[in-house]
Amino acid sequence: MPSPPAADSAVPESKHRIYLDHAATSWPKADGVTDAMVEFMTNVGASASRGNHASAMKASERVRSLRSKLARFVNAESADCVSFHSGCTSALNAVVHGLVGPSHDIGPGSHILTSLVEHNAVLRPMLVAARAADARVEEVPSDANGSLQVSEVIGKIDDATRLVALSHVSNVTGAVQPIAEIGEAIAEINQSRNASNRILFLCDAAQSLGYVPIDIQTLGVHALAAPAHKGCGGPPGIGMLYLSTEWHDRIQPWMQGGTGHDGRSDAMPQTMPGKLEPGTMNLPAIVGWAAAMNSMAALEDSATELAALSQQLHVGLNAIDGIQVFGRPGPLPIASLDFGPELPPDDAAAILDAEFGIEVRSGHHCAARIHRHLGTDSAGTLRISGGHGTTPEEIDAVIAAVAEIAAQITSLT
């Protein structure tokens, strides 16, 4: 069995750094992101909605501009449907804790439907909110590649179902879920319900926004959360929540604080998006995200390249004896693999980093339930994830490195 490197090992200077951990965060960031953030901090530096001096007005305009740009990007009804949060996790908490609770819209006796594929950013707030609300949470299983079936999801909806929360793309296997088909079915169910009993369809788009086209109207979701720092190539520390207008009056602020609206009131604003935006905004991250969005014009061309990388990655990995590969070719180059008991994922990742200069992620990837389903619960998997800027040569390099490690294991067993 190959031995993992010592803790203080470093990639030799001559080795090219191959970054294949884009499902965690993108690197390098999109062109112009760092420059835009530095320019704002150097020349503006003010808070938005916190004064009428020139710099504050400039800051507010940056916020309005990005809000409108993101609304157009996902085809939202209006810019007021987009609120900013400290990240995708915060956005998900805002919608879950804002709608699920003992005195909230989704209250006692409600049925909440999710899946075994979900990230803890969905599961943890949902379980806490559901316990407080005395609501029931049910999880739909996936197939061996992490894909959900429309019939299984819809088949579990009953008269008490008020929330369906699903990820758009699995961060473990890269499986793209049939969100549009599920959304269409939920819309048909909602047509037979009155406004107070309709189902909210929540989508975690952490792995998809910026990688694949997202049209809110086509997907049929009522809420969608996503960060800047993954597919969009923006900075960490900022995320968005889209919320359909029909839910604006029904959601309750999950945090309270200053907003720059009516400082005399003890309550948060009653209108969106200020209703969900307490505190000082992360303006450097907002202007960085705006700069990253300038590169999104070529999204269709990029999607073709990413799909080709996914095909190359999965075909190459599946040709290697001695490893188990999870996932299948799709829109995104994400795959998880297992070398077996002879080489835990943590050790495999350390070897790839130290010996080959390849950076990937090992572990459970904050999605423990799918590992129980895949049979990798004890140590998780080794996840390889490409993104914008990943080259076919880098995919070839990781395939060759995995093959070399697997061959060494085979020769020793």
Side-chain angles (χ1 to χ4, degrees):
M1 178 182 72
S3 298
D8 59 353
S9 294
V11 178
E13 291 286 338
S14 60
K15 287 190 180 295
H16 170 63
R17 177 187 182 189
I18 298 177
Y19 183 81
L20 292 173
D21 194 17
H22 288 264
T25 192
S26 60
W27 184 88
K29 298 305 179 184
D31 291 341
V33 169
T34 303
D35 290 343
M37 296 174 73
V38 171
E39 186 277 332
F40 178 84
M41 292 295 290
T42 302
N43 298 320
V44 182
S47 290
S49 302
R50 296 297 193 277
N52 60 358
H53 55 80
S55 295
M57 299 296 284
K58 288 179 181 178
S60 296
E61 177 54 33
R62 302 290 182 90
V63 174
R64 284 193 294 270
S65 176
L66 179 61
R67 201 189 303 277
S68 295
K69 188 175 293 187
L70 288 169
R72 291 192 300 271
F73 192 63
V74 300
N75 196 21
E77 302 97 292
S78 76
D80 288 343
C81 294
V82 175
S83 56
F84 290 120
H85 304 266
S86 64
C88 187
T89 296
S90 179
L92 289 164
N93 272 266
V95 69
V96 170
H97 288 297
L99 287 168
V100 181
S103 61
H104 288 38
D105 193 86
I106 302 172
S110 294
H111 174 237
I112 297 171
L113 191 60
T114 185
S115 82
L116 296 178
V117 179
E118 304 311 309
H119 191 280
N120 284 336
V122 172
L123 288 175
R124 287 176 174 172
M126 182 177 299
L127 292 172
V128 169
R131 282 195 294 268
D134 193 23
R136 174 170 54 97
V137 177
E138 186 173 6
E139 298 167 355
V140 180
S142 70
D143 66 15
N145 290 297
S147 297
L148 303 175
Q149 300 300 314
V150 176
S151 59
E152 290 195 30
V153 175
I154 301 305
K156 291 186 179 297
I157 291 177
D158 58 32
D159 290 341
T161 305
R162 296 297 315 287
L163 171 61
V164 176
L166 300 173
S167 57
H168 194 183
V169 176
S170 167
N171 73 316
V172 177
T173 68
V176 179
Q177 309 301 355
I179 298 298
E181 292 85 349
I182 294 170
E184 183 179 5
I186 289 175
E188 291 182 5
I189 295 171
N190 278 339
Q191 285 181 353
S192 64
R193 298 188 177 194
N194 59 47
S196 64
N197 194 40
R198 286 176 185 153
I199 300 168
L200 174 81
F201 188 16
L202 167 62
C203 179
D204 173 7
Q207 297 297 336
S208 57
L209 186 75
Y211 283 133
V212 297
I214 289 180
D215 185 323
I216 293 295
Q217 311 309 321
T218 300
L219 292 180
V221 299
H222 307 108
L224 181 140
H229 71 100
K230 295 190 180 184
C232 289
I238 189 70
M240 65 162 280
L241 172 66
Y242 158 80
L243 184 66
S244 172
T245 53
E246 67 176 294
W247 292 88
H248 286 192
D249 292 337
R250 298 162 73 174
I251 194 167
Q252 299 185 29
W254 77 295
M255 292 178 64
Q256 290 74 39
T259 60
H261 292 270
D262 184 1
R264 298 169 300 175
S265 174
D266 291 336
M268 290 290 290
Q270 293 302 302
T271 57
M272 290 286 288
K275 189 177 187 178
L276 299 182
E277 294 180 337
T280 301
M281 287 188 174
N282 187 348
L283 263 296
I286 284 174
V287 299
W289 195 356
M293 292 299 294
N294 292 333
S295 66
M296 291 292 102
L299 185 58
E300 291 186 5
D301 292 340
S302 178
T304 300
E305 295 171 1
L306 290 170
L309 292 176
S310 177
Q311 179 75 16
Q312 178 186 355
L313 177 64
H314 281 276
V315 170
L317 290 177
N318 278 287
I320 300 172
D321 292 331
I323 65 170
Q324 186 174 7
V325 182
F326 303 99
R328 59 170 68 95
L332 299 180
I334 300 176
S336 278
L337 59 93
D338 182 19
F339 285 97
E342 293 82 8
L343 185 63
D346 285 351
D347 290 347
I351 292 169
L352 284 169
D353 187 18
E355 301 298 326
F356 300 93
I358 299 173
E359 298 174 342
V360 297
R361 180 170 173 175
S362 60
H364 294 89
H365 319 298
C366 300
R369 280 166 168 72
I370 190 174
H371 289 281
R372 296 170 195 164
H373 185 64
L374 298 177
T376 56
D377 187 42
S378 61
T381 60
L382 184 80
R383 184 185 68 193
I384 301 166
S385 56
H388 300 305
T390 299
T391 66
E393 291 76 18
E394 289 175 329
I395 297 297
D396 281 341
V398 73
I399 292 169
V402 169
E404 183 176 331
I405 294 171
Q408 291 183 45
I409 295 173
T410 300
S411 68
L412 295 173
T413 56

